[in-house]
Amino acid sequence: MKIVIDDVNKTLEVADKERKSKLDLYGPEAYSLIAELWMKTSWNQKYPYTFTWMGRPIIQHPEDMLRLQEVIYHLKPDVIVETGVAHGGSLIFYASLMKFMGYGEKVIGVDVEIRRSNREAIESHELSSIITLIEGDSVSSETLACVSAEIPPGSKVLVILDSDHSYAHVMKELIAYAPLVSLNSYIVSTDGIMREVADAPRGKPGWVHDNPANAAEDFSKNNPQFVIEAPAWKFNESNLSKNLTAWPSAWLKRVYK
Ligand SMILES: C[S@@+](CC[C@H](N)C(=O)[O-])C[C@H]1O[C@@H](n2cnc3c(N)ncnc32)[C@H](O)[C@@H]1O
């Protein structure tokens, strides 16, 4: 796709195989094209690697964290399970919401390797009492047994998958963790942006197929109790309706048990 932005005449020209049009630079179509391109280029510039939450690095686009916050506030999960801990910022983010809401029992973080400095920082954090760390391959039977043992019976559970983002691994995680997810809650298959950035300088051509979004879409086809459904916005005084997100096709909602 070729995009030409003319900030003097306030137009955006777009040309690809299907179309050639000149758009109002400040109109909704131009906004969509610029937003999609911004997601790609910000990913390529490692923009998500620039934030901390209450002192810990959190490797996410803030847009996704704000949307996730809306879900956590309204869903009020008892337990949040996340695969992929890294520096712990996302675990601290969920724990802080639980603490502020005065609702929620624990956040369980699973990682194949929790570096000593990260573990020490998470375990000495003021929110550490809400967080349980489990070290191990997220799809090993030992790890799954540890995760299950940490979830009190009857808990409302939300699961976020943010570990190895290959199609094969995410599919294994979806199969292993989906049974933990409560009715009307979600299992979130993050970072499907890999599919969109396959042609970016830091991307890989194989990501067109090998990505978490494809895994989530295929999983939902074979598991109709889960539908791909991005949570509805709770507030919208704009004419927009689409998330600016690194998580396309991520939100798998459990619609029946
Ligand atoms: C993208 S980082 C997680 C970022 C974190 N959730 C955040 O928002 O800041 C991915 C993590 O997944 C972990 N990981 C990779 N393969 C894994 C596996 N098979 N099982 C569990 N964790 C894995 C890596 O060690 C790494 O820490």
Side-chain angles (χ1 to χ4, degrees):
M1 181 189 303
K2 185 174 170 188
I3 292 177
V4 179
I5 293 175
D6 181 344
D7 192 27
V8 176
N9 293 306
K10 313 283 184 254
T11 60
L12 181 149
E13 284 181 64
V14 56
D16 60 19
K17 279 185 219 136
E18 282 129 46
R19 64 171 170 173
K20 191 171 190 305
S21 17
K22 189 184 269 194
L23 306 169
D24 168 8
L25 181 57
Y26 288 93
E29 280 182 84
Y31 166 81
S32 276
L33 289 165
I34 293 167
E36 280 164 26
L37 192 55
W38 181 79
M39 283 309 299
K40 286 182 74 169
T41 189
S42 62
W43 176 88
N44 199 65
Q45 292 297 326
K46 298 183 79 174
Y47 172 67
Y49 287 77
T50 66
F51 298 94
T52 57
W53 187 264
M54 295 186 71
R56 296 305 301 153
I58 178 168
I59 307 168
Q60 301 292 346
H61 271 87
E63 286 73 13
D64 287 314
M65 287 296 100
L66 269 196
R67 294 293 172 206
L68 183 50
Q69 166 276 138
E70 292 181 345
V71 171
I72 291 171
Y73 184 72
H74 288 276
L75 185 67
K76 300 216 170 7
D78 300 299
V79 176
I80 299 176
V81 179
E82 181 170 68
T83 64
V85 170
H87 304 269
S90 50
L91 299 184
I92 304 284
F93 180 76
Y94 314 139
S96 69
L97 292 173
M98 284 183 168
K99 181 92 177 171
F100 297 149
M101 289 191 302
Y103 195 93
E105 202 157 313
K106 67 171 89 164
V107 176
I108 303 170
V110 177
D111 202 294
V112 70
E113 187 199 352
I114 303 173
R115 285 191 215 139
R116 197 197 308 174
S117 58
N118 289 334
R119 180 181 281 279
E120 282 172 4
I122 298 165
E123 289 180 346
S124 60
H125 196 276
E126 52 265 57
L127 291 165
S128 64
S129 63
I130 311 176
I131 298 172
T132 301
L133 293 174
I134 296 172
E135 189 163 58
D137 184 344
S138 58
V139 293
S140 79
S141 47
E142 294 82 5
T143 304
L144 283 160
C146 290
V147 171
S148 300
E150 285 291 336
I151 301 176
S155 301
K156 195 191 290 177
V157 180
L158 169 70
V159 177
I160 298 145
L161 306 178
D162 191 24
S163 70
D164 171 345
H165 293 310
S166 65
Y167 177 100
H169 187 78
V170 176
M171 185 57 84
K172 281 188 208 158
E173 286 190 326
L174 286 167
I175 292 165
Y177 288 81
L180 303 178
V181 177
S182 309
L183 188 63
N184 295 320
S185 181
Y186 298 86
I187 181 163
V188 192
S189 177
T190 69
D191 276 358
I193 194 171
M194 285 166 66
R195 182 165 69 184
E196 327 293 339
V197 296
D199 66 342
R202 285 206 309 116
K204 292 189 181 150
W207 288 358
V208 170
H209 303 292
D210 189 9
N211 66 69
N214 281 34
E217 287 166 5
D218 289 349
F219 179 81
S220 73
K221 280 182 208 146
N222 297 322
N223 296 272
Q225 65 275 42
F226 286 90
V227 296
I228 294 193
E229 188 182 300
W233 294 356
K234 302 292 178 194
F235 168 74
N236 188 6
E237 290 186 353
S238 77
N239 291 319
L240 304 173
S241 57
K242 260 181 76 181
N243 281 329
L244 205 58
T245 183
W247 300 355
S249 289
W251 294 88
L252 285 157
K253 182 175 184 179
R254 178 163 219 144
V255 288
Y256 61 89
K257 265 284 177 192

